[in-house]
Amino acid sequence: MRTQVGIIGAGPAGLLLSRLLALQGIDSVVLENRSRDYVEARIRAGILEQHTVDTLTEAGVGDRLAREGLEHRGIYLQYPGTRHKLDFPELCGRTVWVYGQTEVTKDLIKAQLDGGPPLLFEVSDVRPEDVDTDSPRIRFTDADGNPQVLECDVVAGTDGFHGVSRPVVQQAAGGQVWERTYPYAWLGILADAAPATDELIYAWHPDGFALYSMRSTKVSRLYLQVDPSEKIEDWSDDRIWDNLATRFALEGWDLNTGPVTEKSILPMRSFVSAPMRRGRLFLAGDAAHIVPPTGAKGLNLAVADVTLLASALVRLLAEKQTDLVDSYSERALARVWRCTHFSWFMTSMLHRAGDDFDAQLQLSQLRRVVSSEAAARELAENYTGLPLDY
Ligand code: APR
Ligand code: PHB
């Protein structure tokens, strides 16, 4: 087999890259080690920045998003006694959209299988080779157990945090990683309950952070800060709802409860790997960086990476110019670090950790954000997404 761009991983990064390249006449093959059902069932965050919505729409996968996505014009920041709305259009002229990453992935897979470039599920033993030459290849075993070789001009490592691509980049001289593991986790639930709020609520509470999000007018997505050692079996639905009610409590307002359809505990970590390129192997999305979910930057960063990468690869493969591939890692990492800082800032401001001195600093920061237009605008600009070539 031969293609121009061999893409490892069919998460949002790999699928969108394949599509953006196809629209520019560059062919690709996407290799995914899981099944279609597995990939389409993964529950992840659900906030899309305006540039993400624009990119998906321009890529021809925005129809269902336009019909079913919910535009959101702000967020509430809460601490005991106060729930304050930050109005994004007023502060920075932009909005965000609620539309699950799971749905984005389904739309991309559907478009791909409906006449798009090849997408192979359930492959194994995927190995990028000879990435320091102009003719790299990917060895893998197909779903029927046959060994295969995919000859390429370029390999894209969009295989997420546990993929095989990042170690290959890191084996070269000059590789570096930065990491922070936070001393808390999120317990997340999906519930068949109408959201009791028009906008997402980010709540600071002495017992720990809570987030009220949603997936539709009938489905709520809620999170509680818990200790990373907590076991999901120890959290009955009643215990979860009691904790949510305490942390979101506000005079005259009530939570809507309903059947819990999914619950899990997610670790919280920041991770950045540089560079995002070795020779003809380019990393994008979670393969190169992880942010904690506070601020919902993970998917948006992946989309920003592949938008930069697609234009750089078109310039390399169609116009034989290396300038954009040469600057790709640096340009992508500038935005990665901005989002890494913002995600760390939101996480640090809202989660209960440390002592009462830390708590007073957090409350002071929250009061600053809700009372100073400059501080609120800084948060709003980062939350709704900075320009692509930041
Ligand atoms: N071979 C082939 N595919 C692989 C391999 C491998 N060795 N290892 C992992 N994969 C696949 C995974 O099964 C997954 O489908 O690569 C895909 C990577 O997808 P994601 O983890 O969704 O990462 P990405 O596409 O970068 O999307 C980033 O996902 O984790 C969230 O918060 C993150 O929202 C962000 C988004
Ligand atoms: C979500 O809806 O899953 C979500 C929303 C906002 C966040 C994180 C997750 O900051």
Side-chain angles (χ1 to χ4, degrees):
M1 280 203 274
R2 183 172 166 91
T3 189
Q4 288 177 289
V5 183
I7 300 178
I8 307 176
L15 292 165
L16 181 61
L17 177 64
S18 176
R19 188 150 185 94
L20 294 174
L21 291 172
L23 292 172
Q24 302 278 334
I26 304 286
D27 56 65
S28 63
V29 172
V30 184
L31 303 175
E32 166 62 46
N33 63 357
R34 301 286 192 159
S35 68
R36 179 179 182 181
D37 284 351
Y38 181 93
V39 172
E40 291 191 343
R42 276 192 299 230
I43 308 282
R44 291 203 167 142
I47 295 286
L48 308 186
E49 295 173 359
Q50 188 63 54
H51 86 83
T52 299
V53 172
D54 294 345
T55 305
L56 293 169
T57 305
E58 283 158 24
V61 283
D63 290 356
R64 198 159 67 95
L65 164 58
R67 278 198 314 276
E68 297 176 18
L70 307 170
E71 187 178 20
H72 279 255
R73 301 169 64 80
I75 55 169
Y76 291 104
L77 284 180
Q78 174 166 341
Y79 46 91
T82 302
R83 183 178 292 172
H84 180 93
K85 182 169 173 176
L86 298 186
D87 183 319
F88 293 157
E90 211 169 79
L91 288 164
C92 66
R94 292 200 294 274
T95 59
V96 294
W97 292 71
V98 166
Y99 189 67
Q101 181 178 323
T102 313
E103 307 311 314
V104 173
T105 307
K106 283 186 204 158
D107 295 345
L108 284 164
I109 290 178
K110 186 160 175 286
Q112 192 91 4
L113 296 178
D114 191 11
L119 163 55
L120 281 61
F121 287 104
E122 297 181 68
V123 305
S124 50
D125 308 323
V126 177
R127 290 186 312 277
E129 280 185 6
D130 279 352
V131 300
D132 296 321
T133 72
D134 287 350
S135 44
R137 75 189 66 79
I138 305 173
R139 286 190 196 279
F140 65 99
T141 304
D142 67 21
D144 298 325
N146 303 313
Q148 301 282 358
V149 183
L150 178 63
E151 304 285 349
C152 324
D153 296 320
V154 165
V155 177
T158 51
D159 45 356
F161 188 65
H162 301 287
V164 292
S165 302
R166 187 178 63 252
V168 175
V169 175
Q170 282 290 330
Q171 275 154 19
Q176 201 174 352
V177 301
W178 297 264
E179 188 165 15
R180 164 112 357 137
T181 302
Y182 299 91
Y184 28 77
W186 277 14
L187 187 163
I189 63 166
L190 268 178
D192 288 336
T197 177
D198 55 342
E199 303 294 6
L200 273 64
I201 307 170
Y202 288 81
W204 184 99
H205 189 274
D207 293 354
F209 170 68
L211 171 61
Y212 204 136
S213 182
M214 60 204 76
R215 286 294 175 271
S216 71
T217 51
K218 298 193 182 91
V219 175
S220 298
R221 175 79 170 145
L222 296 127
Y223 298 97
L224 283 173
Q225 175 188 345
V226 296
D227 191 88
S229 64
E230 288 285 344
K231 299 269 171 297
I232 197 71
E233 307 80 75
D234 295 335
W235 286 81
S236 65
D237 295 357
D238 284 347
R239 183 177 176 202
I240 294 171
W241 287 119
D242 284 351
N243 273 267
L244 288 165
T246 303
R247 297 188 198 183
F248 288 119
L250 194 73
E251 183 93 30
W253 179 89
D254 280 313
L255 196 68
N256 289 341
T257 62
V260 173
T261 56
E262 197 267 349
K263 57 179 165 183
S264 54
I265 292 181
L266 331 165
M268 306 272 288
R269 88 153 56 90
S270 295
F271 179 91
V272 180
S273 169
M276 287 171 64
R277 171 197 190 181
R278 170 176 171 185
R280 289 276 180 130
L281 170 61
F282 296 85
L283 302 180
D286 276 20
H289 42 73
I290 297 283
V291 287
T294 335
K297 288 291 164 217
L299 172 62
N300 295 293
L301 257 187
V303 170
D305 284 355
V306 297
T307 308
L308 288 179
L309 183 56
S311 57
L313 294 181
V314 170
R315 189 140 165 92
L316 175 73
L317 299 172
E319 299 167 29
K320 310 289 174 221
Q321 298 295 319
T322 59
D323 53 345
L324 295 186
V325 285
D326 288 343
S327 61
Y328 166 69
S329 178
E330 199 181 326
R331 284 182 296 135
L333 283 165
R335 189 188 181 87
V336 168
W337 275 113
R338 176 88 296 283
C339 291
T340 299
H341 176 270
F342 178 66
S343 306
W344 165 87
F345 162 77
M346 290 287 281
T347 301
S348 308
M349 175 170 72
L350 289 162
H351 290 74
R352 193 76 165 88
D355 56 18
D356 289 342
F357 180 83
D358 292 308
Q360 291 304 323
L361 293 180
Q362 292 177 312
L363 289 166
S364 174
Q365 179 68 51
L366 280 161
R367 284 192 293 267
R368 174 74 185 156
V369 172
V370 304
S371 61
S372 149
E373 196 174 312
R377 179 169 300 125
E378 173 64 7
L379 190 153
E381 283 185 359
N382 280 278
Y383 193 98
T384 57
L386 292 162
L388 188 60
D389 228 337
Y390 163 73

